[in-house]
Amino acid sequence: MSTAPELLDDAPTTTPVAGVATSSRAPEAVRLRRARLRTRLLVVLGVLAALALARAVAPADWFSWMDDQLGDGVTLALSVVIESVPFVVLGILLSILVSVWLPQGLLARRLPRNPVLRRLCLSLLGVLMPVCECGNLPLSRGLMLSGVAVADSVTFLLAAPIVNPITIITTYEAFGWSDGILVTRIVGGLVIANLVGWISSLHARPERLLSSRFRILCDAPTAESGSRTGRSLRMFAAESSSTLPALLVGSAVAGAIQVVVPRSVLLAVGTNPVLSVAAMMALAFVVAICSNVDAFFALSLGTAAMPGAIVAFLLFGPMIDVKMLALMRTTFSPRLLLGVTALVAASVAVIGLVMNGVG
């Protein structure tokens, strides 16, 4: 009987396959896909109707202000989308490579049997790939479909965007070796990712870590037939339809939050050793900037934030931001995401406060 805390929502008992639960047939997958499409269409139509109604009944001066705010929000949201889409596509292609073109279970068999060493190896896998957090989600899904355990995949997902080569290079270019920011970011990212992975591995039923939609998708590899090219095209379409809408939703929310909560408010407490850490974590969650370039954004803040706050920004954003949560929801259960967010936030806060010399 496991003593691990129940972080996850209750789900029907299923039969694990390669560390992932499967519990449905293809017709159910088709039905669920159609239901999601109808839901998204209704949401879009509802938003458009609400905007049309607001424009019809709102005073002219109020809507003029809203036009400015709406324009800023759209611009910010589009910047996140344009920045993220190439990496999402790259992540999908890497996921297809792992799931379709490599021999089934090859990567899982090559990993160490010891769970701690296995998760450590997976957390360092990002060093070989110039993929930011957006692209790592499709790759993480591909790892699970190829036989990697759920907790191990979570470890990879959290660590990879911080240890990827472009992130390391840009962080060095921005800060060099000053204040230990680069070293703390890399080591802190690895420690946090492996801590979360270890706690996730304590759960006795890993299928409960996953969303119902992804559990359905886990049936697809064993039922697929046809050429590898055909399977690759079908998988690209399936992954794109799952992750790109989530990216759009997350980017829209990030743009809206940035309009409602000005950055100046978050940075007003930048010189306080405690509040600056919380403010920079909140800023990282809001701006949802790519890990490959977030070091230059942090550098632009100049003396507005202390070193511990800068590290908190550089650690928290690549692991947990509003865009990333929307993407992760396509794969993981809500309670897991809540637990992961709490663990990452607490760990990052401790690192930031220690760097700022707060006992």
Side-chain angles (χ1 to χ4, degrees), residues 179 184 188 192 269-281 305-316 344-359:
D179 298 315
T184 305
I192 294 172
V269 294
T271 57
N272 184 289
V274 177
L275 295 180
S276 63
V277 172
M280 289 296 283
M281 289 172 62
M306 301 179 68
I310 294 291
V311 168
F313 177 89
L314 296 177
L315 281 173
F316 193 66
V344 171
S347 302
V348 170
V350 168
I351 292 173
L353 292 175
V354 169
M355 281 199 71
N356 284 344
V358 178

Side-chain angles (χ1 to χ4, degrees), residues 18 98-100 102-107 109 144-147 221-222 231:
V98 170
S99 302
V100 177
L102 292 182
Q104 185 68 27
L106 175 65
L107 181 59
R109 292 194 300 269
M144 285 185 283
L145 291 173
S146 68
T222 57
R231 291 164 56 196

Side-chain angles (χ1 to χ4, degrees), residues 31-46:
R31 180 189 59 77
L32 184 58
R33 191 177 300 113
R34 290 174 179 172
R36 291 204 310 268
L37 182 60
R38 286 195 298 269
T39 301
R40 290 167 184 166
L41 180 60
L42 289 174
V43 169
V44 171
L45 292 176

Side-chain angles (χ1 to χ4, degrees), residues 38-84:
R38 286 195 298 269
T39 301
R40 290 167 184 166
L41 180 60
L42 289 174
V43 169
V44 171
L45 292 176
V47 170
L48 292 177
L51 290 175
L53 179 62
R55 192 171 188 88
V57 303
D61 57 344
W62 180 84
F63 206 83
S64 175
W65 170 84
M66 188 175 121
D67 278 343
D68 293 338
Q69 298 294 94
L70 183 62
D72 290 343
V74 170
T75 300
L76 292 168
L78 286 178
S79 67
V80 174
V81 172
I82 293 171
E83 179 184 74
S84 304

Side-chain angles (χ1 to χ4, degrees), residues 1-349:
M1 196 71 179
S2 172
T3 59
E6 285 288 332
L7 297 176
L8 315 162
D9 55 341
D10 291 333
T13 302
T14 57
T15 303
V17 176
V20 179
T22 57
S23 60
S24 66
R25 297 180 177 87
E28 185 177 353
V30 172
R31 180 189 59 77
L32 184 58
R33 191 177 300 113
R34 290 174 179 172
R36 291 204 310 268
L37 182 60
R38 286 195 298 269
T39 301
R40 290 167 184 166
L41 180 60
L42 289 174
V43 169
V44 171
L45 292 176
V47 170
L48 292 177
L51 290 175
L53 179 62
R55 192 171 188 88
V57 303
D61 57 344
W62 180 84
F63 206 83
S64 175
W65 170 84
M66 188 175 121
D67 278 343
D68 293 338
Q69 298 294 94
L70 183 62
D72 290 343
V74 170
T75 300
L76 292 168
L78 286 178
S79 67
V80 174
V81 172
I82 293 171
E83 179 184 74
S84 304
V85 164
F87 294 103
V88 172
V89 173
L90 178 57
I92 293 174
L93 294 177
L94 289 173
S95 175
I96 292 171
L97 174 65
V98 170
S99 302
V100 177
W101 293 92
L102 292 182
Q104 185 68 27
L106 175 65
L107 181 59
R109 292 194 300 269
R110 291 289 186 272
L111 292 170
R113 292 185 178 274
N114 181 279
V116 174
L117 294 178
R118 184 172 64 247
R119 287 190 291 271
L120 181 59
C121 288
L122 281 169
S123 64
L124 291 170
L125 187 60
V127 175
L128 305 176
M129 296 176 296
V131 183
C132 72
E133 63 271 22
C134 303
N136 282 318
L137 191 277
L139 182 53
S140 175
R141 290 161 63 94
L143 289 174
M144 285 185 283
L145 291 173
S146 68
V148 173
V150 179
D152 298 351
S153 180
V154 170
T155 304
F156 162 80
L157 182 62
L158 296 179
I162 292 177
V163 300
N164 95 61
I166 295 180
T167 299
I168 293 175
I169 291 171
T170 55
T171 305
Y172 175 78
E173 290 295 326
F175 299 103
W177 300 107
S178 63
D179 298 315
I181 290 175
L182 173 61
V183 174
T184 305
R185 182 182 200 187
I186 296 173
V187 176
L190 290 173
V191 170
I192 294 172
N194 281 272
L195 173 64
V196 173
W198 170 68
I199 292 177
S200 300
S201 72
L202 297 178
H203 201 278
R205 297 171 64 181
E207 68 271 12
R208 292 190 176 184
L209 296 166
L210 302 175
S211 68
S212 58
R213 287 178 292 179
F214 188 66
R215 289 200 299 269
I216 290 173
L217 184 62
C218 288
D219 274 341
T222 57
E224 284 284 1
S225 60
S227 68
R228 288 184 176 182
T229 301
R231 291 164 56 196
S232 298
L233 292 175
R234 289 193 292 272
M235 185 172 178
F236 185 88
E239 288 295 312
S240 298
S241 65
S242 177
T243 55
L244 290 180
L247 174 64
L248 294 176
V249 171
S251 300
V253 173
I257 293 176
Q258 289 184 71
V259 170
V260 174
V261 183
R263 296 176 189 173
S264 57
V265 174
L266 295 172
L267 297 177
V269 294
T271 57
N272 184 289
V274 177
L275 295 180
S276 63
V277 172
M280 289 296 283
M281 289 172 62
L283 183 62
F285 183 83
V286 167
V287 298
I289 194 170
C290 173
S291 65
N292 288 345
V293 295
D294 61 356
F296 293 116
F297 178 90
L299 181 65
S300 69
L301 300 176
T303 59
M306 301 179 68
I310 294 291
V311 168
F313 177 89
L314 296 177
L315 281 173
F316 193 66
M319 294 184 176
I320 303 292
D321 62 33
V322 64
K323 161 180 57 64
M324 194 60 188
L325 283 179
L327 285 169
M328 292 171 70
R329 182 62 189 96
T330 64
T331 306
F332 302 105
S333 67
R335 291 189 183 181
L336 172 67
L337 295 184
L338 180 62
V340 169
T341 301
L343 283 170
V344 171
S347 302
V348 170

